[in-house]
Amino acid sequence: MRSRRVLITGLSTYWGGRLARALEADPQVEAIVGVDNEEPGVELERTEYVKVGNQHGLLRRVVEAAEIDTVVDTRLVVDSAVTAPRLAHENNVIGTMNILAACGEGGPVKKFVFKSSTHFYGANQDDPAFFDETMGRPHPPRTAIERDILEAEASVAEFADRNPEVAVSVLRFANVLGPDVDTSHIDFLGLPMVPMILGFDPRYQFVHEDDVVHALEHVTQNDLPGVFNVAADGVLALSEVASLLGKRYAPILPPWGTGLAATAVRRLGVKIPAEMLAQLRFGRGVDNRRLKAAGFEYGYTSREAVVALGEHMRLHPLLRGDPEPYRYEREVEEFLRWSPNVRNARPRAQVGASPGLSAPPVDHYDDLTAEEIISLLSSLERTDLEALRDYEAAHGGRHDVIGAIESLLARSATAG
């Protein structure tokens, strides 16, 4: 089943926002709804944001009202450095259970996609060379994040058993690298020297941030139930990773009492989460053939992902400054989302076809003040400005708005 009406949980997260933007470019996706208790951090054209947390009753109402056929859950916290253990547990375990409760029991949802992590497998001395999707975790979880992931996936598996009519997909992502995503591993590799545990040179496998988004999009757009590892081809020793980044590696962490040493290093501002320590000792590799057999193509190998990160690390300090962060403004978003110049908006033949048009050419136009409208006029094309001028002249007749539109039209004619 190809998804037509998609609900994305965790819209304010990096992955939720990027997936929404990717799906907006797919004309076969009719509607995209994003839910979160925080506002989105990226500008979106046709994604509807609803401020809802993990309350299953409210989520259920959103799912039914929007006739959602596909839910993509991107909220899972897999890095203990970003939040407190209690909050991570509420998000990962309780939140997942509530979202699943909103999707089941004969509702419109026919597909559920869950973003998980290869932390599911852990990292131990006697691990196989590569974990495939049929393998369980050989040892009990040692960290809070790993326990959360196992509990969340157990809830998803139980949901799949209870709702066989729903295609449930679980994607277990390896360590992510990229220029825009922020993870503890990227911060760790960004140090002047890469710390290592004395006597260990672990195997690492990565996935580029673009491939994360493409994998989520691929599973959303295709009917692929089951569990899939998402990791690029190739594994690298940590010493190789450091060399590719142009850094030296320093075996300064002791093989015994590593946790205490990591705590001391954290006081210096170096983030080494508990779930990273086992990887720094034993590493991990996963089999990625199943998703490739389902038609997915990676854009980067593990080596290429590291090289791309190294190029970004070298160039980023040379940039003059960071762009101003995006801030969500509901009125602005509503105006831009439904303006005639936005992709996937209404056909231009319906926009201001004549001065006597009885409906506003832009939804919610009449609710905006003159100052709000004037501040947004520069984002519109000439034909859109003409449509707004005709509508304003026939209805509101505000001289300052009409004057601002006429001024922009005159400037565009001069420039032309």
Side-chain angles (χ1 to χ4, degrees), residues 6-19:
V6 181
L7 174 73
I8 300 173
T9 69
L11 186 65
S12 71
T13 67
Y14 179 76
W15 303 118
R18 282 209 59 180
L19 177 61

Side-chain angles (χ1 to χ4, degrees), residues 110-116 121 132-134 153 156-157 159-161 163-164 166-173 215-216 219-220 222-230 290-291 294:
K110 300 303 177 186
K111 184 185 297 184
F112 181 82
V113 180
F114 185 69
K115 180 183 176 296
S116 188
Y121 300 111
D132 67 37
E133 294 86 348
T134 66
E153 282 209 25
V156 173
F159 172 85
D161 290 339
N163 300 273
V166 179
V168 177
S169 303
V170 176
L171 302 182
R172 294 174 181 159
F173 290 94
L216 289 169
V219 175
T220 301
N222 296 278
D223 194 9
L224 298 173
V227 179
F228 299 90
N229 293 329
V230 187
R290 186 176 186 189
L291 186 60

Side-chain angles (χ1 to χ4, degrees), residues 393-406:
H395 295 85
R398 289 168 288 189
H399 297 293
D400 46 354
V401 174
I402 295 175
I405 296 175
E406 293 287 3

Side-chain angles (χ1 to χ4, degrees), residues 47-287:
T47 300
E48 294 295 334
Y49 165 61
V50 183
K51 189 171 184 178
V52 176
N54 295 330
Q55 306 95 324
H56 65 85
L58 294 177
L59 287 169
R60 179 72 175 189
R61 292 172 62 184
V62 172
V63 166
E64 293 180 344
E67 298 180 338
I68 298 297
D69 58 53
T70 300
V71 173
V72 185
D73 189 1
T74 69
R75 308 159 306 103
L76 193 72
V77 174
V78 299
D79 188 342
S80 61
V82 304
T83 189
R86 180 183 61 82
L87 296 177
H89 180 78
E90 290 180 359
N91 177 84
N92 291 346
V93 179
I94 308 303
T96 299
M97 294 173 63
N98 286 341
I99 290 170
L100 292 170
C103 296
E105 300 178 3
V109 175
K110 300 303 177 186
K111 184 185 297 184
F112 181 82
V113 180
F114 185 69
K115 180 183 176 296
S116 188
S117 167
T118 54
H119 284 323
F120 173 90
Y121 300 111
N124 289 274
Q125 184 175 7
D126 57 350
D127 283 346
F130 292 92
F131 284 100
D132 67 37
E133 294 86 348
T134 66
M135 297 177 180
R137 185 187 177 102
H139 297 278
R142 296 179 177 178
T143 70
I145 285 293
E146 291 173 349
R147 285 192 294 272
D148 284 354
I149 292 171
L150 262 67
E151 290 184 44
E153 282 209 25
S155 296
V156 173
E158 184 180 349
F159 172 85
D161 290 339
R162 292 198 318 265
N163 300 273
E165 73 282 1
V166 179
V168 177
S169 303
V170 176
L171 302 182
R172 294 174 181 159
F173 290 94
N175 298 301
V176 182
L177 298 183
D180 297 319
V181 67
D182 183 18
T183 71
S184 291
H185 262 100
I186 293 177
D187 293 340
F188 180 82
L189 296 174
L191 296 172
M193 298 181 70
V194 178
M196 295 174 60
I197 299 176
L198 182 64
F200 293 87
D201 194 5
R203 299 173 306 126
Y204 263 85
Q205 194 173 13
F206 298 101
V207 59
H208 193 275
E209 63 178 76
D210 291 345
D211 285 332
V212 173
V213 179
H214 295 156
L216 289 169
E217 187 180 7
H218 180 76
V219 175
T220 301
Q221 294 173 329
N222 296 278
D223 194 9
L224 298 173
V227 179
F228 299 90
N229 293 329
V230 187
D233 289 336
V235 293
L236 301 167
L238 184 55
S239 58
E240 291 183 89
V241 175
S243 297
L244 288 171
L245 295 174
K247 299 175 182 292
R248 299 177 62 185
Y249 54 91
I252 59 174
L253 297 174
W256 296 280
T258 309
L260 294 176
T263 300
V265 172
R266 289 188 196 106
R267 296 193 183 101
L268 302 177
V270 180
K271 295 187 293 185
I272 304 183
E275 62 274 4
M276 187 191 294
L277 288 177
Q279 275 196 273
L280 288 176
R281 188 182 297 269
F282 303 117
R284 180 170 55 231
V286 297
D287 188 332

Side-chain angles (χ1 to χ4, degrees), residues 8 11-13 16-24 32-34 39-49 326 328 332-334 336-338 342:
I8 300 173
L11 186 65
S12 71
T13 67
R18 282 209 59 180
L19 177 61
R21 296 181 75 169
L23 293 178
E24 284 184 340
I32 307 167
V33 179
E39 294 170 345
V42 295
E43 185 174 356
L44 299 168
E45 292 183 354
R46 61 188 184 100
T47 300
E48 294 295 334
Y49 165 61
Y326 172 78
Y328 178 81
V332 176
E333 290 296 329
E334 289 296 328
L336 293 176
R337 183 173 296 134
W338 296 105
V342 168

